[in-house]
Amino acid sequence: MGTTGAGLGELADDRARLGRTSTAERVADILRDRIAEGFFPPGTRLSEDSIGGALGVSRNTLREAFRLLTHERLLVHELNRGVFVRVLAVEDVADIYRVRRLVECAVVRGLGEPPYALERLVAAVEQGARAAHEKDWTVLGTANIHFHRELVALARSPRTDELMRGVLAELRLAFHMVDDARRLHEPYLARNRQVLDALRDGDTAGAERLLARYLDDSREQLVEVYARRIEAGGAGEG
């Protein structure tokens, strides 16, 4: 599928985020967010003319933004065809979870003595609860991502934050290939609460055990569902 005119007016609203000094990094931030939201689904061809016109940026700036996102494994460049939102392989999904387990469990293990700054984790759980009540399963998926992002942020490491930003953005590519978002996300709201409660109690060992099982179960479920979707030809073509 290619970039269409539908919705490009919404993308044009993002011009305000560029400010006076339009940079490739800011353009990449916008496109990364839009990819995460599913505005550009996996397999979508990104039109330089359409996106550059919507954002009001030069072709060179846009190409540099594409290069940055290709480095982050969100886009791929295909010779003589253009730039596309990446379609993950099943092996990519499994590897994402290996990285998540290594990083997230290590963060919890190394938290030190309580109390911990859990306000943002609480906010993510509350966001998820509202989304579940409203049956907005896409927003619930976003809330789950926020929970894990803020969990890693407890390490107070900009490098770890940057690593997880890329890992979780890649994970969203897999989410957008799954039809039943409720089945994918709803069970983990309660498990987010369990991890949060263990951290409130200062039980990092218990929180790590819960988190490890959580990530193993989530990996198994997503890999199974994702593999079926890929086999059925669920990815868009450019």
Side-chain angles (χ1 to χ4, degrees):
M1 66 184 77
T3 307
T4 66
L8 285 172
E10 182 180 348
L11 185 62
D13 293 339
D14 286 326
R15 284 194 191 194
R17 295 174 57 182
L18 297 175
R20 287 189 172 182
T21 56
S22 299
T23 66
E25 288 83 1
R26 290 192 180 96
V27 173
D29 286 343
I30 289 169
L31 295 179
R32 186 187 302 107
D33 288 346
R34 291 300 187 170
I35 290 167
E37 293 163 3
F39 185 82
F40 299 118
T44 301
R45 181 180 178 275
L46 300 186
S47 164
E48 289 185 2
D49 290 340
S50 297
I51 295 174
L55 291 175
V57 297
S58 71
R59 188 180 296 267
N60 286 340
T61 296
L62 188 59
R63 285 178 176 174
E64 176 63 11
F66 285 171
R67 189 193 67 79
L68 292 171
L69 295 178
T70 299
H71 181 70
E72 293 179 20
R73 301 170 61 85
L74 296 180
L75 302 180
V76 291
H77 180 269
E78 298 186 10
L79 189 62
N80 299 324
R81 296 191 70 213
V83 175
F84 295 80
V85 178
R86 188 161 169 254
V87 178
L88 300 182
V90 175
E91 293 78 11
D92 293 319
V93 178
D95 191 45
I96 286 169
Y97 274 90
R98 279 193 289 271
V99 174
R100 291 186 66 192
R101 201 181 195 280
L102 285 169
V103 174
E104 294 185 42
C105 289
V107 166
V108 171
R109 193 182 316 126
L111 281 179
E113 294 301 315
Y116 312 117
L118 303 177
E119 295 82 7
R120 292 181 181 271
L121 286 179
V122 172
V125 170
E126 290 175 348
Q127 179 191 18
R130 288 192 300 271
H133 178 73
E134 296 168 3
K135 295 182 169 35
D136 192 333
W137 311 118
T138 299
V139 171
L140 177 55
T142 297
N144 284 346
I145 290 288
H146 288 170
F147 180 87
H148 291 276
R149 183 189 66 200
E150 298 303 337
L151 181 72
V152 170
L154 293 175
R156 299 182 180 180
S157 165
R159 290 171 178 80
T160 307
D161 290 344
E162 183 177 357
L163 169 65
M164 288 305 295
R165 182 182 71 171
V167 168
L168 294 174
E170 275 194 85
L171 183 63
R172 294 296 290 264
L173 294 178
F175 285 173
H176 292 311
M177 296 285 289
V178 176
D179 291 325
D180 192 347
R182 177 176 185 175
R183 181 169 176 266
L184 182 65
H185 301 306
E186 189 177 31
Y188 296 97
L189 176 58
R191 298 177 77 163
N192 288 345
R193 286 198 186 98
Q194 291 172 352
V195 173
L196 175 60
D197 288 343
L199 291 175
R200 278 173 165 159
D201 293 339
D203 181 10
T204 54
E208 184 183 355
R209 286 193 298 272
L210 289 167
L211 184 60
R213 287 197 296 269
Y214 175 129
L215 292 172
D216 288 345
D217 290 346
S218 180
R219 181 198 66 230
E220 183 178 347
Q221 178 191 13
L222 183 57
V223 165
E224 178 184 352
V225 172
Y226 191 79
R228 288 202 303 266
R229 180 68 188 271
I230 291 294
E231 289 172 4
E237 295 292 335

